[in-house]
């Protein structure tokens, strides 16, 4: 049985790799649509990237929806230092021939979910800041009944990657993340605890480079990471955004723990921290559901093999 999924994304190098892997798993995942959100780059850039990528992968019939152009409260904080000026490393995508859907924003996601055949549900897979998902849940609360789970990339129960305490996607829009984590919907948090173990090595990027035209584009995106200050001299890079999709393919390869998660929305060094609040905190309401499954570990060798196999599928 194929699982209906909706991808919310800010492509972004690892977003593009993850979306490509997800399309290559069409026997298990049915991608109903893709929405974009300001994050790694501006909303214009990430939306153009999503249109170009779906065209490159031969998936132009999948709707692409332009989402929020900024976080709920804060100004956007693009990550051009990690993803490049155009968001996709050394790839400068030409303008796509395909266009956006006529409906935009959270309303478009709502419509697509509610139009699913009766009895069907959807898994939301957000791999950028959670702005669109918070707007969706707050504006159209009845949508929750059609969402079976949210499997997101974001957060960390260990340390951060944008600040000492916070992971980039959550830090970019912590208010949105708090709304989503407090929605009561079952959530799988693919945070840095597990994503930092999910790697592609420099040798694998070289393999991609010589495999085919589409793989060459992947390698030109990924090489940018290795040349960036964050990864220079390292032999492997974390494929954060692929984790939710590979989790959906084989949950048994991962392990984790159920927790109550709150997001720090303060304006200090803890902003954007995902805090495990299972009872040790006085402000915690008794009986809050442990609706967040925090992934902790993975069969890392399987992850690398599976991701490469999916990326090699394209000819
Ligand atoms: C997350 O931040 C973004 O830069 C990546 O695309 C990923 O979603 C990792 O912290
Ligand atoms: Ca992302």
């Amino acid at each position: 049985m194929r699982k209906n999924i909706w991808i919310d994304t800010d492509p972004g190098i690892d977003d593009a790799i993850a979306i490509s892997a997800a399309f290559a798993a069409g026997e298990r995942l049915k991608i109903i649509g893709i929405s974009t959100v300001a994050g790694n780059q501006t909303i214009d850039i990430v939306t153009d990237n999503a249109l170009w990528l779906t065209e490159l992968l031969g998936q132009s019939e999948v709707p692409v929806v332009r989402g929020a152009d900024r976080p709920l409260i804060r100004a956007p904080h693009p990550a051009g230092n990690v993803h490049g000026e155009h968001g996709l490393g050394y790839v400068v995508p030409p303008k796509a021939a395909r266009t956006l859907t006529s409906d935009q924003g959270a309303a478009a996601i709502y419509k697509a979910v509610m139009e699913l055949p009766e009895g069907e549900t959807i898994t939301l897979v957000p791999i950028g800041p959670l702005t669109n998902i918070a707007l969706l849940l707050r504006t159209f609360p009845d949508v929750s009944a059609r969402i079976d789970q949210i499997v997101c990339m974001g957060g960390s129960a260990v340390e951060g990657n944008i600040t000492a305490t916070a992971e980039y996607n959550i830090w970019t829009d912590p208010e949105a993340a708090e709304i989503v984590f407090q929605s009561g919907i079952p959530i799988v948090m693919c945070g840095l605890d597990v994503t930092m173990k999910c790697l592609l090595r420099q040798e694998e990027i070289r393999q991609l480079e010589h495999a085919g035209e589409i793989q060459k584009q992947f390698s030109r995106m990924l090489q940018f990471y290795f040349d960036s200050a964050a990864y220079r001299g390292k032999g492997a890079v974390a494929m954060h955004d692929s984790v939710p999709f590979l989790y959906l393919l084989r949950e048994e390869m991962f392990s984790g723990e159920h927790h109550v998660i709150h997001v720090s929305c303060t304006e200090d060094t803890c902003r954007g921290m995902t805090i495990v609040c299972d009872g040790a905190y006085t402000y915690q309401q008794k009986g809050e559901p442990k609706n967040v499954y925090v992934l902790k570990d993975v069969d890392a060798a399987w992850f690398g093999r599976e991701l490469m196999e999916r990326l090699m599928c394209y000819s």
Side-chain angles (χ1 to χ4, degrees):
M1 174 76 179
R2 291 167 89 206
K3 197 181 261 303
N4 293 328
I5 66 169
W6 183 279
I7 303 176
D8 189 72
T9 179
D10 58 339
I13 299 171
D14 62 329
D15 299 73
I17 296 296
I19 293 167
S20 304
F23 275 119
E27 81 287 1
R28 302 284 307 285
L29 305 177
K30 182 172 180 190
I31 302 177
I32 302 296
I34 297 176
S35 46
T36 56
V37 62
N40 288 325
Q41 266 303 348
T42 64
I43 193 65
D44 289 340
I45 292 177
V46 299
T47 304
D48 281 350
N49 290 349
L51 290 169
W52 169 80
L53 181 69
T54 49
E55 207 169 76
L56 176 80
L57 302 176
Q59 300 288 347
S60 293
E61 79 290 354
V62 173
V64 171
V65 165
R66 180 186 160 105
D69 63 356
R70 48 165 296 163
L72 294 184
I73 309 284
R74 260 191 176 183
H77 188 93
N81 56 328
V82 182
H83 295 270
E85 199 188 329
H86 300 278
L88 297 178
Y90 293 122
V91 172
V92 182
K95 193 93 187 147
R98 66 161 303 192
T99 51
L100 291 163
T101 54
S102 50
D103 300 310
Q104 300 300 305
I109 308 177
Y110 176 67
K111 191 164 164 227
V113 174
M114 299 314 267
E115 279 174 355
L116 286 173
E118 210 183 313
E120 288 193 20
T121 55
I122 197 146
T123 296
L124 302 183
V125 188
I127 53 176
L130 286 162
T131 321
N132 290 333
I133 309 302
L135 290 169
L136 173 72
L137 298 178
R138 275 296 163 92
T139 318
F140 307 102
D142 57 320
V143 77
S144 302
R146 306 294 300 270
I147 300 171
D148 55 15
Q149 60 178 338
I150 299 174
V151 184
C152 66
M153 191 285 134
S156 168
V158 281
E159 56 186 9
N161 62 357
I162 180 85
T163 68
T165 58
E167 179 281 328
Y168 176 81
N169 288 340
I170 305 295
W171 176 86
T172 299
D173 199 344
E175 287 80 12
E178 175 70 353
I179 290 171
V180 174
F181 281 117
Q182 293 311 302
S183 66
I185 295 171
I187 292 174
V188 180
M189 178 175 126
C190 309
L192 300 178
D193 314 59
V194 67
T195 65
M196 291 302 291
K197 299 173 186 167
C198 294
L199 307 172
L200 274 191
R201 298 187 309 269
Q202 178 80 74
E203 306 91 81
E204 288 163 326
I205 312 306
R206 273 196 281 273
Q207 249 173 277
L208 289 170
E209 192 187 337
H210 300 294
E213 276 315 302
I214 294 185
Q215 289 81 2
K216 200 179 191 62
Q217 303 286 345
F218 299 153
S219 89
R220 291 181 61 220
M221 295 180 206
L222 290 162
Q223 186 56 44
F224 190 87
Y225 276 149
F226 286 99
D227 298 340
S228 73
Y231 283 105
R232 200 170 301 134
K234 300 208 171 121
V237 287
M239 290 294 103
H240 304 287
D241 287 343
S242 293
V243 177
F245 300 103
L246 269 66
Y247 170 80
L248 286 169
L249 293 181
R250 283 195 70 182
E251 294 180 14
E252 68 277 16
M253 291 298 184
F254 297 82
S255 59
E257 291 163 8
H258 286 93
H259 290 297
V260 176
I261 296 285
H262 278 278
V263 180
S264 171
C265 296
T266 54
E267 285 292 348
D268 57 20
T269 49
C270 291
R271 186 169 173 85
M273 183 178 182
T274 42
I275 310 168
V276 174
C277 296
D278 291 350
Y281 295 82
T282 50
Y283 63 78
Q284 192 210 345
Q285 306 258 315
K286 247 201 153 110
E288 269 186 294
K290 291 187 180 178
N291 65 319
V292 184
Y293 184 53
V294 179
L295 295 189
K296 290 287 173 79
D297 218 343
V298 59
D299 181 331
W302 166 80
F303 179 93
R305 274 196 316 273
E306 181 73 23
L307 182 57
M308 278 300 282
E309 264 174 40
R310 299 287 174 183
L311 297 178
M312 286 294 195
C313 275
Y314 294 96
S315 53

